[in-house]
C-alpha cells in the first residue's frame, strides 16, 4: 500500500453559469478535510455533478476557484491535478466491449506511452497491480479476461473502483456511484469505497441520493439546493429537519 499524503480540497465562492444561462452553482464555498469522506446531497439538478467536475477540470467555474492543497485547479496544472484525482461514474465508466484487464489498464493510461497502450504492451508492474486491486475489491484474477459488459452492475462498479485506484489517486470523485445498483449491492459498494479510501488516506467527494448510505458512510455532509450550499457539517449533525430542507420534502431512506 503506498503511503499517501491525504489532500485538502477547498471550494471558494464557486459559481458556474452555462452558455445557455443556466446557473448551476452560485457562490459555493466549503472545505473537505484531508482524508475525509464528503457526501454531497441534493435533488437532481442541484449542481452536484457540476461541482464534482470542477475538481478535476471537467468543468471550469465561471468565477471562484477550487483549491487542491492550496493549488488552484487551472488549465496549466490540469495534468498534475488529473494524476491526483480519479473519478468513479454512475454508469461505471467502463468500455463494455473491452476486457476487464483492458479497462483496468485504462486507469493507468496517464502513465503509459500511447504507442505501448495501442499495442497492448502494458508494463508488468501495472498488470500485477491490476490483479491485486481486483482482488482487493472482491473479484478474482479470472475476471481480468472477461468482457466488462458481461459483468453484473455490482461487479462493474467493483472494477470501476479498482480502476480508479490504479494510479494511487489522492482524491476520488464519485458521481452517484450506486445510483443504478440495488440497495444491497449499493451498501457493499459504498463499504468498499469507504474502506479503500480509508486504507489509502484518499479524500473522497461523493454525490449520493440515498440519505441512509450518506449517514452511514460520510464524515461530512454538504447539501446543495438549486446551486446554493445550504448545509455543511459533520454527518452526526445532520438531522431529519436538515434533510427535508435539502430536499424540500419529507425525509425518507
Ligand atoms: P445534479 O448533479 O445535482 O443533478 P448538475 O450539476 O448535473 O446537477 O446540473 C445542475 C444544473 O445545471 C441543472 O439545471 C442542469 O440542467 C444544468 N446543466 C448541467 N450541465 C449543463 C450543460 N452542459 N449545459 C447547460 N446546463 C447544464
Amino acid at each position: 500500500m503506498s503511503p499517501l499524503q491525504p489532500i485538502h480540497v477547498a471550494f471558494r465562492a464557486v459559481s458556474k453559469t452555462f452558455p445557455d444561462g443556466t446557473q448551476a452553482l452560485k457562490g459555493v464555498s466549503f472545505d473537505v478535510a484531508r482524508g475525509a469522506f464528503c457526501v454531497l446531497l441534493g435533488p437532481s439538478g442541484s449542481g452536484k455533478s457540476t461541482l464534482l467536475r470542477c475538481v478535476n477540470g471537467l468543468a471550469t467555474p465561471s468565477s471562484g476557484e477550487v483549491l487542491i492543497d492550496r493549488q488552484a485547479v487551472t488549465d496549466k496544472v490540469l495534468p498534475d491535478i488529473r494524476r491526483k484525482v480519479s473519478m468513479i461514474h454512475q454508469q461505471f465508466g467502463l468500455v463494455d466491449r473491452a476486457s476487464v484487464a483492458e479497462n483496468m489498464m485504462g486507469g493507468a493510461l496517464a502513465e503509459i506511452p500511447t504507442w505501448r497502450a495501442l499495442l497492448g504492451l502494458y508494463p508488468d508492474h501495472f498488470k500485477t497491480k491490476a490483479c491485486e486491486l481486483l482482488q482487493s475489491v472482491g473479484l478474482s484474477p479470472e475476471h481480468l479476461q472477461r468482457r466488462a459488459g458481461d459483468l453484473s452492475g455490482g461487479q462493474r462498479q467493483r472494477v470501476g473502483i479498482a480502476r480508479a485506484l490504479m494510479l494511487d489517486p489522492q482524491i476520488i470523485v464519485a458521481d452517484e456511484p450506486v445510483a443504478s445498483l440495488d440497495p444491497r449491492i449499493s451498501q457493499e459498494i459504498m463499504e468498499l469505497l469507504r474502506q479503500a479510501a480509508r486504507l489509502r488516506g484518499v479524500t473522497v467527494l461523493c454525490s449520493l441520493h440515498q440519505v441512509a448510505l450518506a449517514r452511514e458512510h460520510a464524515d461530512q455532509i454538504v447539501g446543495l439546493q438549486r446551486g446554493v450550499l445550504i448545509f455543511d457539517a459533520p454527518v452526526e449533525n445532520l438531522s431529519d429537519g436538515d434533510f427535508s430542507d435539502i430536499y424540500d420534502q419529507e425525509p425518507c431512506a
Side-chain angles (χ1 to χ4, degrees):
M1 201 70 52
S2 57
L4 288 172
Q5 181 62 34
I7 274 195
H8 168 254
V9 184
F11 297 84
R12 296 285 175 258
V14 174
S15 293
K16 175 71 181 178
T17 304
F18 285 104
D20 67 358
T22 306
Q23 275 189 284
L25 296 170
K26 301 171 190 166
V28 173
S29 297
F30 66 98
D31 289 82
V32 183
R34 299 177 189 283
F37 199 110
C38 172
V39 168
L40 305 182
L41 291 176
S44 180
S46 57
K48 303 180 298 295
S49 262
T50 307
L51 193 71
L52 292 177
R53 290 161 65 83
C54 288
V55 177
N56 63 357
L58 286 177
T60 310
S62 312
S63 62
E65 57 186 1
V66 179
L67 301 163
I68 292 182
D69 266 355
R70 296 201 201 152
Q71 181 182 42
V73 177
T74 59
D75 286 351
K76 205 169 142 213
V77 296
L78 267 191
D80 185 35
I81 298 288
R82 290 203 174 136
R83 227 164 270 129
K84 292 179 180 162
V85 183
S86 280
M87 194 149 191
I88 296 175
H89 303 265
Q90 178 177 339
Q91 293 304 333
F92 321 120
L94 304 178
V95 180
D96 282 350
R97 57 176 195 289
S99 68
V100 168
E102 285 161 333
N103 274 287
M104 291 289 293
M105 292 306 159
L109 277 186
E111 302 280 306
I112 300 173
T114 311
W115 68 269
R116 289 195 71 119
L118 286 172
L119 293 174
L121 297 172
Y122 303 112
D124 283 345
H125 69 276
F126 278 130
K127 293 183 194 163
T128 309
K129 190 163 182 181
C131 283
E132 287 170 359
L133 282 171
L134 217 53
Q135 272 173 317
S136 79
V137 297
L139 293 176
S140 61
E142 290 85 78
H143 285 89
L144 279 167
Q145 300 317 322
R146 292 187 60 188
R147 211 177 141 267
D150 291 340
L151 303 180
S152 69
Q155 288 174 325
R156 280 198 270 176
Q157 198 55 300
R158 284 171 191 268
V159 176
I161 293 174
R163 178 187 196 271
L165 295 170
M166 276 296 278
L167 287 185
D168 298 322
Q170 287 161 289
I171 300 175
I172 289 181
V173 167
D175 194 359
E176 304 238 5
V178 296
S180 51
L181 303 175
D182 72 42
R184 187 179 58 82
I185 307 289
S186 298
Q187 176 65 271
E188 285 174 19
I189 292 292
M190 286 303 294
E191 188 64 47
L192 205 59
L193 179 56
R194 169 87 210 197
Q195 271 176 15
R198 201 174 258 175
L199 211 60
R200 294 169 174 80
V202 177
T203 306
V204 179
L205 282 101
C206 173
S207 63
L208 283 180
H209 60 253
Q210 304 91 329
V211 78
L213 289 178
R215 276 196 208 280
E216 193 172 337
H217 299 284
D219 298 313
Q220 174 187 6
I221 302 281
V222 164
L224 289 177
Q225 206 182 62
R226 292 184 270 276
V228 177
L229 182 139
I230 61 157
F231 186 87
D232 170 22
V235 66
E236 49 276 19
N237 295 4
L238 180 76
S239 67
D240 283 351
D242 295 320
F243 176 68
S244 5
D245 286 347
I246 295 169
Y247 283 90
D248 230 356
Q249 63 187 31
E250 288 302 305
C252 58

